[in-house]
Amino acid sequence: MSVTAKAESRPLSDAEVVEAYLTASMIPDPDAAAAYMKPGTIITFTGGREFGHPRGPTGFNARRYRWVKKQMDRFDVCAGVDETVVYSIGTLYGEWIDGTPFEGNRYVDRFVVRGGQIVKMDVWNDSAERILVQRGIEA
């Protein structure tokens, strides 16, 4: 067996699980993203919205953005005894639903990973504040 084959057969690190989830969710392919989550995982999205599958945030985002992607700047990994907390920190870029491009929209996603699967996800970003500014409301 080659070194490459051995490297490819190793389990993903918790940060790699999160990165693979986010990459699939940006396609968007919510079913592929769900493969990295334990069934029953709750995703708490901006504004306290709860979803039981990655299709929820994908559908919500479709009403807010024509398209959106994440510039994943870093992953902060906090290992615990039975679980790992992984923060993905970066910025969003894309187009608002009206076609106006944007970039530099800060985000933080917090994941809890147990046994190689995501068991909790929390999402925060500046989109709501940016929408307020677009509408002439001081944010």
Side-chain angles (χ1 to χ4, degrees), residues 97-117:
I97 201 70
D98 69 0
T100 304
F102 70 89
E103 63 184 354
N105 183 342
R106 299 175 308 161
Y107 83 86
V108 175
D109 293 340
R110 180 185 183 272
F111 296 85
V112 178
V113 181
R114 279 189 211 122
Q117 289 190 297

Side-chain angles (χ1 to χ4, degrees), residues 80-107:
V81 175
D82 296 323
E83 64 188 26
T84 301
V85 175
V86 178
Y87 293 90
S88 174
I89 300 168
T91 57
L92 304 175
Y93 64 96
E95 289 183 8
W96 296 109
I97 201 70
D98 69 0
T100 304
F102 70 89
E103 63 184 354
N105 183 342
R106 299 175 308 161
Y107 83 86

Side-chain angles (χ1 to χ4, degrees), residues 2-12:
S2 73
V3 172
T4 304
K6 285 181 187 176
E8 290 173 1
S9 66
R10 71 166 175 75
L12 296 177

Side-chain angles (χ1 to χ4, degrees), residues 4-128:
T4 304
K6 285 181 187 176
E8 290 173 1
S9 66
R10 71 166 175 75
L12 296 177
S13 71
D14 293 336
E16 289 169 332
V17 167
V18 167
E19 184 175 18
Y21 168 86
L22 291 172
T23 299
S25 70
M26 285 189 292
I27 291 174
D29 187 344
D31 292 323
Y36 298 97
M37 298 187 122
K38 183 176 181 178
T41 294
I42 298 298
I43 301 166
T44 305
F45 213 62
T46 58
R49 295 164 187 87
E50 291 187 346
F51 303 105
H53 190 279
R55 283 188 294 269
T58 299
F60 177 78
N61 282 341
R63 295 187 317 243
R64 185 177 271 190
Y65 313 107
R66 274 196 184 170
W67 64 272
V68 62
K69 304 288 183 208
K70 291 185 176 187
Q71 171 63 47
M72 296 178 265
D73 293 334
R74 73 177 202 254
F75 295 93
D76 293 345
V77 180
C78 307
V81 175
D82 296 323
E83 64 188 26
T84 301
V85 175
V86 178
Y87 293 90
S88 174
I89 300 168
T91 57
L92 304 175
Y93 64 96
E95 289 183 8
W96 296 109
I97 201 70
D98 69 0
T100 304
F102 70 89
E103 63 184 354
N105 183 342
R106 299 175 308 161
Y107 83 86
V108 175
D109 293 340
R110 180 185 183 272
F111 296 85
V112 178
V113 181
R114 279 189 211 122
Q117 289 190 297
I118 297 165
V119 299
K120 182 169 178 36
M121 178 182 179
D122 296 288
V123 176
W124 297 275
N125 64 55
D126 286 338
S127 291

